[in-house]
Amino acid sequence: QVQLVESGGGLVQAGGSLRLSCAASGHTFSSLTMGWFRQGPGKGREFVAVISRSGSTTSYADSVKGRFTISRDNAKTTLYLQMNSLTPEDTAVYYCAADSGIMTIRLTAYDYWGQGTQVTVSS
């Protein structure tokens, strides 16, 4: 079993930055593909970013490319999402997720999910 706990969300002005963290426990962190997803008001959950087990490969949604950076510290069993140049369109609950299989952006492939952390970007 894997437990994931997100933190770092909050209220930020447009153009500002936040760094989200996801602390993992209950599993060998380095064996998991890790991803970030988000769900905005009135929207479905969507892919944001994913990182391979070693951290050597990353992929991003087009909407966040160049602004967000996903990273991981396997020694600390923690996943991060650095978010820069935030806009109101980034307002959402952000979820980290873990997948024991091959790296993928498919939401349905992820086996474990955190409870989410709210990010609100004011205009």
Side-chain angles (χ1 to χ4, degrees):
Q1 300 296 316
V2 176
Q3 184 176 18
L4 305 173
V5 181
E6 303 95 336
S7 63
L11 176 65
V12 64
Q13 296 182 31
S17 299
L18 284 173
R19 189 174 82 157
L20 306 183
S21 298
C22 173
S25 62
H27 199 278
T28 302
F29 183 71
S30 60
S31 71
L32 299 169
T33 295
M34 299 296 297
W36 286 100
F37 297 79
R38 67 186 182 186
Q39 186 165 7
K43 299 179 180 180
R45 193 168 298 184
E46 65 177 0
F47 166 74
V48 175
V50 64
I51 188 167
S52 63
R53 294 174 176 85
S54 68
S56 62
T57 305
T58 59
S59 185
Y60 298 89
D62 288 342
S63 59
V64 306
K65 285 181 179 177
R67 300 189 299 119
F68 290 12
T69 303
I70 188 172
S71 62
R72 65 191 296 163
D73 187 332
N74 285 348
K76 296 181 178 179
T77 67
T78 302
L79 175 74
Y80 303 97
L81 184 68
Q82 178 66 46
M83 305 185 295
N84 298 326
S85 301
L86 287 163
T87 77
E89 293 180 345
D90 297 315
T91 294
V93 177
Y94 283 72
Y95 300 89
C96 65
D99 175 28
S100 59
I102 300 171
M103 194 179 80
T104 179
I105 66 171
R106 293 188 297 109
L107 185 152
T108 55
Y110 286 78
D111 303 305
Y112 307 100
W113 294 84
Q115 292 300 303
T117 185
Q118 177 70 48
V119 172
T120 302
V121 184
S122 62
S123 60

PDB file of all heavy atoms in Angstrom, residues 35-74:
ATOM      1  N   GLY A  35       3.109  11.122 -10.624  1.00  0.00           N
ATOM      2  CA  GLY A  35       2.503  12.148 -11.449  1.00  0.00           C
ATOM      3  C   GLY A  35       1.722  13.159 -10.646  1.00  0.00           C
ATOM      4  O   GLY A  35       1.373  12.928  -9.481  1.00  0.00           O
ATOM      5  N   TRP A  36       1.478  14.288 -11.278  1.00  0.00           N
ATOM      6  CA  TRP A  36       0.605  15.319 -10.738  1.00  0.00           C
ATOM      7  C   TRP A  36      -0.599  15.483 -11.657  1.00  0.00           C
ATOM      8  O   TRP A  36      -0.454  15.524 -12.887  1.00  0.00           O
ATOM      9  CB  TRP A  36       1.319  16.665 -10.628  1.00  0.00           C
ATOM     10  CG  TRP A  36       2.315  16.757  -9.516  1.00  0.00           C
ATOM     11  CD1 TRP A  36       3.660  16.633  -9.610  1.00  0.00           C
ATOM     12  CD2 TRP A  36       2.023  17.019  -8.141  1.00  0.00           C
ATOM     13  NE1 TRP A  36       4.242  16.795  -8.385  1.00  0.00           N
ATOM     14  CE2 TRP A  36       3.261  17.029  -7.461  1.00  0.00           C
ATOM     15  CE3 TRP A  36       0.849  17.232  -7.423  1.00  0.00           C
ATOM     16  CZ2 TRP A  36       3.352  17.259  -6.085  1.00  0.00           C
ATOM     17  CZ3 TRP A  36       0.935  17.450  -6.057  1.00  0.00           C
ATOM     18  CH2 TRP A  36       2.176  17.467  -5.408  1.00  0.00           C
ATOM     19  N   PHE A  37      -1.751  15.592 -11.051  1.00  0.00           N
ATOM     20  CA  PHE A  37      -2.997  15.845 -11.748  1.00  0.00           C
ATOM     21  C   PHE A  37      -3.718  16.977 -11.039  1.00  0.00           C
ATOM     22  O   PHE A  37      -3.402  17.304  -9.901  1.00  0.00           O
ATOM     23  CB  PHE A  37      -3.869  14.586 -11.774  1.00  0.00           C
ATOM     24  CG  PHE A  37      -3.250  13.443 -12.521  1.00  0.00           C
ATOM     25  CD1 PHE A  37      -2.273  12.655 -11.928  1.00  0.00           C
ATOM     26  CD2 PHE A  37      -3.631  13.156 -13.821  1.00  0.00           C
ATOM     27  CE1 PHE A  37      -1.687  11.603 -12.611  1.00  0.00           C
ATOM     28  CE2 PHE A  37      -3.054  12.105 -14.517  1.00  0.00           C
ATOM     29  CZ  PHE A  37      -2.086  11.338 -13.911  1.00  0.00           C
ATOM     30  N   ARG A  38      -4.678  17.563 -11.706  1.00  0.00           N
ATOM     31  CA  ARG A  38      -5.427  18.638 -11.068  1.00  0.00           C
ATOM     32  C   ARG A  38      -6.876  18.612 -11.512  1.00  0.00           C
ATOM     33  O   ARG A  38      -7.210  18.098 -12.580  1.00  0.00           O
ATOM     34  CB  ARG A  38      -4.809  20.007 -11.371  1.00  0.00           C
ATOM     35  CG  ARG A  38      -4.906  20.434 -12.828  1.00  0.00           C
ATOM     36  CD  ARG A  38      -4.141  21.731 -13.047  1.00  0.00           C
ATOM     37  NE  ARG A  38      -4.258  22.202 -14.413  1.00  0.00           N
ATOM     38  CZ  ARG A  38      -3.606  23.250 -14.903  1.00  0.00           C
ATOM     39  NH1 ARG A  38      -2.781  23.950 -14.127  1.00  0.00           N
ATOM     40  NH2 ARG A  38      -3.776  23.612 -16.175  1.00  0.00           N
ATOM     41  N   GLN A  39      -7.714  19.193 -10.688  1.00  0.00           N
ATOM     42  CA  GLN A  39      -9.132  19.283 -10.982  1.00  0.00           C
ATOM     43  C   GLN A  39      -9.605  20.684 -10.621  1.00  0.00           C
ATOM     44  O   GLN A  39      -9.660  21.042  -9.447  1.00  0.00           O
ATOM     45  CB  GLN A  39      -9.932  18.240 -10.215  1.00  0.00           C
ATOM     46  CG  GLN A  39     -11.398  18.196 -10.604  1.00  0.00           C
ATOM     47  CD  GLN A  39     -12.088  16.940 -10.108  1.00  0.00           C
ATOM     48  OE1 GLN A  39     -11.509  16.149  -9.357  1.00  0.00           O
ATOM     49  NE2 GLN A  39     -13.311  16.734 -10.530  1.00  0.00           N
ATOM     50  N   GLY A  40      -9.917  21.473 -11.641  1.00  0.00           N
ATOM     51  CA  GLY A  40     -10.397  22.822 -11.437  1.00  0.00           C
ATOM     52  C   GLY A  40     -11.886  22.850 -11.183  1.00  0.00           C
ATOM     53  O   GLY A  40     -12.586  21.845 -11.349  1.00  0.00           O
ATOM     54  N   PRO A  41     -12.396  24.009 -10.779  1.00  0.00           N
ATOM     55  CA  PRO A  41     -13.832  24.142 -10.512  1.00  0.00           C
ATOM     56  C   PRO A  41     -14.665  23.772 -11.734  1.00  0.00           C
ATOM     57  O   PRO A  41     -14.453  24.309 -12.825  1.00  0.00           O
ATOM     58  CB  PRO A  41     -13.991  25.622 -10.164  1.00  0.00           C
ATOM     59  CG  PRO A  41     -12.642  26.048  -9.702  1.00  0.00           C
ATOM     60  CD  PRO A  41     -11.682  25.268 -10.540  1.00  0.00           C
ATOM     61  N   GLY A  42     -15.576  22.849 -11.566  1.00  0.00           N
ATOM     62  CA  GLY A  42     -16.445  22.447 -12.649  1.00  0.00           C
ATOM     63  C   GLY A  42     -15.772  21.648 -13.744  1.00  0.00           C
ATOM     64  O   GLY A  42     -16.346  21.478 -14.822  1.00  0.00           O
ATOM     65  N   LYS A  43     -14.568  21.156 -13.478  1.00  0.00           N
ATOM     66  CA  LYS A  43     -13.825  20.410 -14.478  1.00  0.00           C
ATOM     67  C   LYS A  43     -13.503  19.004 -13.982  1.00  0.00           C
ATOM     68  O   LYS A  43     -13.544  18.725 -12.789  1.00  0.00           O
ATOM     69  CB  LYS A  43     -12.519  21.127 -14.820  1.00  0.00           C
ATOM     70  CG  LYS A  43     -12.683  22.521 -15.389  1.00  0.00           C
ATOM     71  CD  LYS A  43     -11.332  23.150 -15.665  1.00  0.00           C
ATOM     72  CE  LYS A  43     -11.466  24.542 -16.231  1.00  0.00           C
ATOM     73  NZ  LYS A  43     -10.138  25.155 -16.488  1.00  0.00           N
ATOM     74  N   GLY A  44     -13.158  18.151 -14.918  1.00  0.00           N
ATOM     75  CA  GLY A  44     -12.681  16.841 -14.562  1.00  0.00           C
ATOM     76  C   GLY A  44     -11.207  16.861 -14.197  1.00  0.00           C
ATOM     77  O   GLY A  44     -10.512  17.854 -14.404  1.00  0.00           O
ATOM     78  N   ARG A  45     -10.743  15.778 -13.653  1.00  0.00           N
ATOM     79  CA  ARG A  45      -9.340  15.685 -13.295  1.00  0.00           C
ATOM     80  C   ARG A  45      -8.497  15.548 -14.563  1.00  0.00           C
ATOM     81  O   ARG A  45      -8.823  14.766 -15.459  1.00  0.00           O
ATOM     82  CB  ARG A  45      -9.112  14.494 -12.376  1.00  0.00           C
ATOM     83  CG  ARG A  45      -7.764  14.489 -11.697  1.00  0.00           C
ATOM     84  CD  ARG A  45      -7.719  13.441 -10.583  1.00  0.00           C
ATOM     85  NE  ARG A  45      -8.695  13.718  -9.534  1.00  0.00           N
ATOM     86  CZ  ARG A  45      -8.809  13.006  -8.420  1.00  0.00           C
ATOM     87  NH1 ARG A  45      -7.998  11.978  -8.206  1.00  0.00           N
ATOM     88  NH2 ARG A  45      -9.738  13.328  -7.533  1.00  0.00           N
ATOM     89  N   GLU A  46      -7.412  16.305 -14.630  1.00  0.00           N
ATOM     90  CA  GLU A  46      -6.577  16.301 -15.820  1.00  0.00           C
ATOM     91  C   GLU A  46      -5.115  16.115 -15.468  1.00  0.00           C
ATOM     92  O   GLU A  46      -4.654  16.471 -14.383  1.00  0.00           O
ATOM     93  CB  GLU A  46      -6.752  17.599 -16.617  1.00  0.00           C
ATOM     94  CG  GLU A  46      -6.271  18.841 -15.896  1.00  0.00           C
ATOM     95  CD  GLU A  46      -6.386  20.097 -16.733  1.00  0.00           C
ATOM     96  OE1 GLU A  46      -6.844  20.007 -17.896  1.00  0.00           O
ATOM     97  OE2 GLU A  46      -6.022  21.182 -16.238  1.00  0.00           O
ATOM     98  N   PHE A  47      -4.398  15.582 -16.424  1.00  0.00           N
ATOM     99  CA  PHE A  47      -2.969  15.355 -16.285  1.00  0.00           C
ATOM    100  C   PHE A  47      -2.214  16.671 -16.255  1.00  0.00           C
ATOM    101  O   PHE A  47      -2.522  17.595 -17.007  1.00  0.00           O
ATOM    102  CB  PHE A  47      -2.487  14.504 -17.460  1.00  0.00           C
ATOM    103  CG  PHE A  47      -1.001  14.460 -17.620  1.00  0.00           C
ATOM    104  CD1 PHE A  47      -0.212  13.720 -16.765  1.00  0.00           C
ATOM    105  CD2 PHE A  47      -0.393  15.164 -18.643  1.00  0.00           C
ATOM    106  CE1 PHE A  47       1.161  13.679 -16.913  1.00  0.00           C
ATOM    107  CE2 PHE A  47       0.972  15.136 -18.808  1.00  0.00           C
ATOM    108  CZ  PHE A  47       1.748  14.386 -17.939  1.00  0.00           C
ATOM    109  N   VAL A  48      -1.199  16.732 -15.404  1.00  0.00           N
ATOM    110  CA  VAL A  48      -0.332  17.895 -15.326  1.00  0.00           C
ATOM    111  C   VAL A  48       1.106  17.536 -15.693  1.00  0.00           C
ATOM    112  O   VAL A  48       1.701  18.138 -16.585  1.00  0.00           O
ATOM    113  CB  VAL A  48      -0.366  18.538 -13.926  1.00  0.00           C
ATOM    114  CG1 VAL A  48       0.639  19.685 -13.832  1.00  0.00           C
ATOM    115  CG2 VAL A  48      -1.771  19.029 -13.601  1.00  0.00           C
ATOM    116  N   ALA A  49       1.667  16.565 -14.993  1.00  0.00           N
ATOM    117  CA  ALA A  49       3.062  16.202 -15.214  1.00  0.00           C
ATOM    118  C   ALA A  49       3.327  14.813 -14.670  1.00  0.00           C
ATOM    119  O   ALA A  49       2.636  14.344 -13.768  1.00  0.00           O
ATOM    120  CB  ALA A  49       4.004  17.206 -14.543  1.00  0.00           C
ATOM    121  N   VAL A  50       4.354  14.162 -15.207  1.00  0.00           N
ATOM    122  CA  VAL A  50       4.738  12.837 -14.749  1.00  0.00           C
ATOM    123  C   VAL A  50       6.250  12.725 -14.766  1.00  0.00           C
ATOM    124  O   VAL A  50       6.926  13.385 -15.572  1.00  0.00           O
ATOM    125  CB  VAL A  50       4.090  11.737 -15.627  1.00  0.00           C
ATOM    126  CG1 VAL A  50       4.589  11.809 -17.059  1.00  0.00           C
ATOM    127  CG2 VAL A  50       4.314  10.354 -15.032  1.00  0.00           C
ATOM    128  N   ILE A  51       6.774  11.896 -13.891  1.00  0.00           N
ATOM    129  CA  ILE A  51       8.212  11.692 -13.804  1.00  0.00           C
ATOM    130  C   ILE A  51       8.496  10.212 -13.612  1.00  0.00           C
ATOM    131  O   ILE A  51       7.776   9.514 -12.897  1.00  0.00           O
ATOM    132  CB  ILE A  51       8.817  12.544 -12.666  1.00  0.00           C
ATOM    133  CG1 ILE A  51      10.340  12.501 -12.690  1.00  0.00           C
ATOM    134  CG2 ILE A  51       8.271  12.109 -11.310  1.00  0.00           C
ATOM    135  CD1 ILE A  51      10.977  13.574 -11.797  1.00  0.00           C
ATOM    136  N   SER A  52       9.536   9.743 -14.262  1.00  0.00           N
ATOM    137  CA  SER A  52       9.896   8.336 -14.187  1.00  0.00           C
ATOM    138  C   SER A  52      10.489   7.990 -12.836  1.00  0.00           C
ATOM    139  O   SER A  52      10.768   8.855 -12.003  1.00  0.00           O
ATOM    140  CB  SER A  52      10.888   7.988 -15.302  1.00  0.00           C
ATOM    141  OG  SER A  52      12.096   8.715 -15.150  1.00  0.00           O
ATOM    142  N   ARG A  53      10.690   6.699 -12.629  1.00  0.00           N
ATOM    143  CA  ARG A  53      11.174   6.216 -11.336  1.00  0.00           C
ATOM    144  C   ARG A  53      12.488   6.854 -10.905  1.00  0.00           C
ATOM    145  O   ARG A  53      12.649   7.233  -9.739  1.00  0.00           O
ATOM    146  CB  ARG A  53      11.321   4.697 -11.367  1.00  0.00           C
ATOM    147  CG  ARG A  53      10.005   3.955 -11.505  1.00  0.00           C
ATOM    148  CD  ARG A  53      10.251   2.465 -11.674  1.00  0.00           C
ATOM    149  NE  ARG A  53       9.007   1.706 -11.720  1.00  0.00           N
ATOM    150  CZ  ARG A  53       8.298   1.534 -12.823  1.00  0.00           C
ATOM    151  NH1 ARG A  53       8.708   2.050 -13.973  1.00  0.00           N
ATOM    152  NH2 ARG A  53       7.176   0.825 -12.779  1.00  0.00           N
ATOM    153  N   SER A  54      13.394   6.985 -11.832  1.00  0.00           N
ATOM    154  CA  SER A  54      14.700   7.557 -11.527  1.00  0.00           C
ATOM    155  C   SER A  54      14.709   9.076 -11.590  1.00  0.00           C
ATOM    156  O   SER A  54      15.668   9.702 -11.122  1.00  0.00           O
ATOM    157  CB  SER A  54      15.745   7.011 -12.492  1.00  0.00           C
ATOM    158  OG  SER A  54      15.507   7.487 -13.803  1.00  0.00           O
ATOM    159  N   GLY A  55      13.678   9.652 -12.170  1.00  0.00           N
ATOM    160  CA  GLY A  55      13.643  11.086 -12.371  1.00  0.00           C
ATOM    161  C   GLY A  55      14.276  11.537 -13.665  1.00  0.00           C
ATOM    162  O   GLY A  55      14.352  12.743 -13.931  1.00  0.00           O
ATOM    163  N   SER A  56      14.711  10.600 -14.478  1.00  0.00           N
ATOM    164  CA  SER A  56      15.421  10.953 -15.700  1.00  0.00           C
ATOM    165  C   SER A  56      14.506  11.391 -16.833  1.00  0.00           C
ATOM    166  O   SER A  56      14.966  12.039 -17.777  1.00  0.00           O
ATOM    167  CB  SER A  56      16.276   9.772 -16.164  1.00  0.00           C
ATOM    168  OG  SER A  56      15.467   8.650 -16.474  1.00  0.00           O
ATOM    169  N   THR A  57      13.235  11.038 -16.753  1.00  0.00           N
ATOM    170  CA  THR A  57      12.291  11.364 -17.814  1.00  0.00           C
ATOM    171  C   THR A  57      11.081  12.068 -17.232  1.00  0.00           C
ATOM    172  O   THR A  57      10.534  11.629 -16.226  1.00  0.00           O
ATOM    173  CB  THR A  57      11.836  10.101 -18.554  1.00  0.00           C
ATOM    174  OG1 THR A  57      12.976   9.392 -19.047  1.00  0.00           O
ATOM    175  CG2 THR A  57      10.931  10.456 -19.722  1.00  0.00           C
ATOM    176  N   THR A  58      10.670  13.144 -17.881  1.00  0.00           N
ATOM    177  CA  THR A  58       9.483  13.878 -17.458  1.00  0.00           C
ATOM    178  C   THR A  58       8.614  14.191 -18.661  1.00  0.00           C
ATOM    179  O   THR A  58       9.084  14.231 -19.799  1.00  0.00           O
ATOM    180  CB  THR A  58       9.842  15.187 -16.749  1.00  0.00           C
ATOM    181  OG1 THR A  58      10.606  16.018 -17.639  1.00  0.00           O
ATOM    182  CG2 THR A  58      10.647  14.928 -15.492  1.00  0.00           C
ATOM    183  N   SER A  59       7.348  14.431 -18.394  1.00  0.00           N
ATOM    184  CA  SER A  59       6.415  14.830 -19.428  1.00  0.00           C
ATOM    185  C   SER A  59       5.400  15.777 -18.817  1.00  0.00           C
ATOM    186  O   SER A  59       5.034  15.627 -17.651  1.00  0.00           O
ATOM    187  CB  SER A  59       5.723  13.614 -20.037  1.00  0.00           C
ATOM    188  OG  SER A  59       4.890  13.978 -21.119  1.00  0.00           O
ATOM    189  N   TYR A  60       4.942  16.740 -19.614  1.00  0.00           N
ATOM    190  CA  TYR A  60       4.045  17.769 -19.114  1.00  0.00           C
ATOM    191  C   TYR A  60       2.861  17.974 -20.036  1.00  0.00           C
ATOM    192  O   TYR A  60       2.962  17.797 -21.256  1.00  0.00           O
ATOM    193  CB  TYR A  60       4.769  19.112 -18.996  1.00  0.00           C
ATOM    194  CG  TYR A  60       5.927  19.107 -18.040  1.00  0.00           C
ATOM    195  CD1 TYR A  60       7.207  18.774 -18.460  1.00  0.00           C
ATOM    196  CD2 TYR A  60       5.736  19.445 -16.708  1.00  0.00           C
ATOM    197  CE1 TYR A  60       8.269  18.767 -17.582  1.00  0.00           C
ATOM    198  CE2 TYR A  60       6.798  19.442 -15.817  1.00  0.00           C
ATOM    199  CZ  TYR A  60       8.061  19.104 -16.261  1.00  0.00           C
ATOM    200  OH  TYR A  60       9.109  19.103 -15.377  1.00  0.00           O
ATOM    201  N   ALA A  61       1.759  18.382 -19.442  1.00  0.00           N
ATOM    202  CA  ALA A  61       0.643  18.848 -20.240  1.00  0.00           C
ATOM    203  C   ALA A  61       1.048  20.130 -20.965  1.00  0.00           C
ATOM    204  O   ALA A  61       1.816  20.936 -20.444  1.00  0.00           O
ATOM    205  CB  ALA A  61      -0.571  19.108 -19.355  1.00  0.00           C
ATOM    206  N   ASP A  62       0.514  20.308 -22.160  1.00  0.00           N
ATOM    207  CA  ASP A  62       0.859  21.499 -22.933  1.00  0.00           C
ATOM    208  C   ASP A  62       0.547  22.788 -22.177  1.00  0.00           C
ATOM    209  O   ASP A  62       1.251  23.789 -22.318  1.00  0.00           O
ATOM    210  CB  ASP A  62       0.113  21.498 -24.266  1.00  0.00           C
ATOM    211  CG  ASP A  62       0.635  20.463 -25.237  1.00  0.00           C
ATOM    212  OD1 ASP A  62       1.764  19.973 -25.051  1.00  0.00           O
ATOM    213  OD2 ASP A  62      -0.091  20.145 -26.197  1.00  0.00           O
ATOM    214  N   SER A  63      -0.484  22.765 -21.375  1.00  0.00           N
ATOM    215  CA  SER A  63      -0.914  23.959 -20.672  1.00  0.00           C
ATOM    216  C   SER A  63       0.078  24.435 -19.616  1.00  0.00           C
ATOM    217  O   SER A  63       0.014  25.594 -19.189  1.00  0.00           O
ATOM    218  CB  SER A  63      -2.275  23.722 -20.015  1.00  0.00           C
ATOM    219  OG  SER A  63      -2.219  22.647 -19.095  1.00  0.00           O
ATOM    220  N   VAL A  64       0.988  23.565 -19.196  1.00  0.00           N
ATOM    221  CA  VAL A  64       1.922  23.938 -18.137  1.00  0.00           C
ATOM    222  C   VAL A  64       3.378  23.892 -18.576  1.00  0.00           C
ATOM    223  O   VAL A  64       4.264  24.267 -17.789  1.00  0.00           O
ATOM    224  CB  VAL A  64       1.736  23.068 -16.881  1.00  0.00           C
ATOM    225  CG1 VAL A  64       0.291  23.103 -16.416  1.00  0.00           C
ATOM    226  CG2 VAL A  64       2.192  21.635 -17.129  1.00  0.00           C
ATOM    227  N   LYS A  65       3.647  23.460 -19.783  1.00  0.00           N
ATOM    228  CA  LYS A  65       5.024  23.383 -20.265  1.00  0.00           C
ATOM    229  C   LYS A  65       5.700  24.739 -20.193  1.00  0.00           C
ATOM    230  O   LYS A  65       5.136  25.757 -20.581  1.00  0.00           O
ATOM    231  CB  LYS A  65       5.059  22.871 -21.700  1.00  0.00           C
ATOM    232  CG  LYS A  65       4.802  21.386 -21.843  1.00  0.00           C
ATOM    233  CD  LYS A  65       4.876  20.956 -23.302  1.00  0.00           C
ATOM    234  CE  LYS A  65       4.638  19.465 -23.440  1.00  0.00           C
ATOM    235  NZ  LYS A  65       4.641  19.035 -24.864  1.00  0.00           N
ATOM    236  N   GLY A  66       6.912  24.730 -19.695  1.00  0.00           N
ATOM    237  CA  GLY A  66       7.672  25.958 -19.561  1.00  0.00           C
ATOM    238  C   GLY A  66       7.397  26.719 -18.287  1.00  0.00           C
ATOM    239  O   GLY A  66       8.137  27.657 -17.960  1.00  0.00           O
ATOM    240  N   ARG A  67       6.358  26.332 -17.566  1.00  0.00           N
ATOM    241  CA  ARG A  67       6.006  27.022 -16.327  1.00  0.00           C
ATOM    242  C   ARG A  67       6.135  26.125 -15.097  1.00  0.00           C
ATOM    243  O   ARG A  67       6.504  26.599 -14.026  1.00  0.00           O
ATOM    244  CB  ARG A  67       4.575  27.558 -16.396  1.00  0.00           C
ATOM    245  CG  ARG A  67       4.347  28.554 -17.515  1.00  0.00           C
ATOM    246  CD  ARG A  67       2.975  29.205 -17.403  1.00  0.00           C
ATOM    247  NE  ARG A  67       1.897  28.224 -17.505  1.00  0.00           N
ATOM    248  CZ  ARG A  67       1.008  27.978 -16.546  1.00  0.00           C
ATOM    249  NH1 ARG A  67       1.061  28.655 -15.407  1.00  0.00           N
ATOM    250  NH2 ARG A  67       0.056  27.086 -16.734  1.00  0.00           N
ATOM    251  N   PHE A  68       5.804  24.862 -15.266  1.00  0.00           N
ATOM    252  CA  PHE A  68       5.845  23.908 -14.157  1.00  0.00           C
ATOM    253  C   PHE A  68       7.021  22.958 -14.323  1.00  0.00           C
ATOM    254  O   PHE A  68       7.387  22.598 -15.445  1.00  0.00           O
ATOM    255  CB  PHE A  68       4.563  23.075 -14.106  1.00  0.00           C
ATOM    256  CG  PHE A  68       3.327  23.816 -13.696  1.00  0.00           C
ATOM    257  CD1 PHE A  68       3.289  25.195 -13.623  1.00  0.00           C
ATOM    258  CD2 PHE A  68       2.178  23.099 -13.383  1.00  0.00           C
ATOM    259  CE1 PHE A  68       2.137  25.870 -13.250  1.00  0.00           C
ATOM    260  CE2 PHE A  68       1.018  23.751 -13.008  1.00  0.00           C
ATOM    261  CZ  PHE A  68       0.996  25.138 -12.941  1.00  0.00           C
ATOM    262  N   THR A  69       7.571  22.531 -13.207  1.00  0.00           N
ATOM    263  CA  THR A  69       8.648  21.559 -13.211  1.00  0.00           C
ATOM    264  C   THR A  69       8.361  20.479 -12.176  1.00  0.00           C
ATOM    265  O   THR A  69       8.181  20.778 -10.996  1.00  0.00           O
ATOM    266  CB  THR A  69      10.000  22.203 -12.900  1.00  0.00           C
ATOM    267  OG1 THR A  69      10.269  23.241 -13.849  1.00  0.00           O
ATOM    268  CG2 THR A  69      11.112  21.162 -12.968  1.00  0.00           C
ATOM    269  N   ILE A  70       8.322  19.239 -12.631  1.00  0.00           N
ATOM    270  CA  ILE A  70       8.151  18.122 -11.723  1.00  0.00           C
ATOM    271  C   ILE A  70       9.521  17.559 -11.373  1.00  0.00           C
ATOM    272  O   ILE A  70      10.412  17.491 -12.216  1.00  0.00           O
ATOM    273  CB  ILE A  70       7.247  17.035 -12.346  1.00  0.00           C
ATOM    274  CG1 ILE A  70       6.905  15.950 -11.318  1.00  0.00           C
ATOM    275  CG2 ILE A  70       7.868  16.440 -13.593  1.00  0.00           C
ATOM    276  CD1 ILE A  70       5.852  14.952 -11.814  1.00  0.00           C
ATOM    277  N   SER A  71       9.690  17.182 -10.132  1.00  0.00           N
ATOM    278  CA  SER A  71      10.947  16.588  -9.688  1.00  0.00           C
ATOM    279  C   SER A  71      10.665  15.634  -8.543  1.00  0.00           C
ATOM    280  O   SER A  71       9.560  15.614  -7.986  1.00  0.00           O
ATOM    281  CB  SER A  71      11.951  17.667  -9.273  1.00  0.00           C
ATOM    282  OG  SER A  71      11.463  18.421  -8.179  1.00  0.00           O
ATOM    283  N   ARG A  72      11.662  14.847  -8.198  1.00  0.00           N
ATOM    284  CA  ARG A  72      11.496  13.919  -7.090  1.00  0.00           C
ATOM    285  C   ARG A  72      12.810  13.755  -6.363  1.00  0.00           C
ATOM    286  O   ARG A  72      13.891  13.889  -6.946  1.00  0.00           O
ATOM    287  CB  ARG A  72      10.985  12.558  -7.581  1.00  0.00           C
ATOM    288  CG  ARG A  72      11.947  11.805  -8.483  1.00  0.00           C
ATOM    289  CD  ARG A  72      11.257  10.612  -9.146  1.00  0.00           C
ATOM    290  NE  ARG A  72      10.831   9.619  -8.179  1.00  0.00           N
ATOM    291  CZ  ARG A  72       9.935   8.665  -8.432  1.00  0.00           C
ATOM    292  NH1 ARG A  72       9.357   8.596  -9.629  1.00  0.00           N
ATOM    293  NH2 ARG A  72       9.614   7.791  -7.487  1.00  0.00           N
ATOM    294  N   ASP A  73      12.708  13.463  -5.097  1.00  0.00           N
ATOM    295  CA  ASP A  73      13.854  13.147  -4.267  1.00  0.00           C
ATOM    296  C   ASP A  73      13.586  11.770  -3.694  1.00  0.00           C
ATOM    297  O   ASP A  73      12.835  11.623  -2.728  1.00  0.00           O
ATOM    298  CB  ASP A  73      14.035  14.186  -3.161  1.00  0.00           C
ATOM    299  CG  ASP A  73      15.315  13.985  -2.377  1.00  0.00           C
ATOM    300  OD1 ASP A  73      15.798  12.840  -2.281  1.00  0.00           O
ATOM    301  OD2 ASP A  73      15.841  14.980  -1.851  1.00  0.00           O
ATOM    302  N   ASN A  74      14.185  10.768  -4.304  1.00  0.00           N
ATOM    303  CA  ASN A  74      13.900   9.404  -3.886  1.00  0.00           C
ATOM    304  C   ASN A  74      14.403   9.107  -2.475  1.00  0.00           C
ATOM    305  O   ASN A  74      13.815   8.295  -1.767  1.00  0.00           O
ATOM    306  CB  ASN A  74      14.496   8.414  -4.884  1.00  0.00           C
ATOM    307  CG  ASN A  74      13.696   8.343  -6.167  1.00  0.00           C
ATOM    308  OD1 ASN A  74      12.582   8.857  -6.247  1.00  0.00           O
ATOM    309  ND2 ASN A  74      14.249   7.705  -7.182  1.00  0.00           N
TER     310      ASN A  74
END
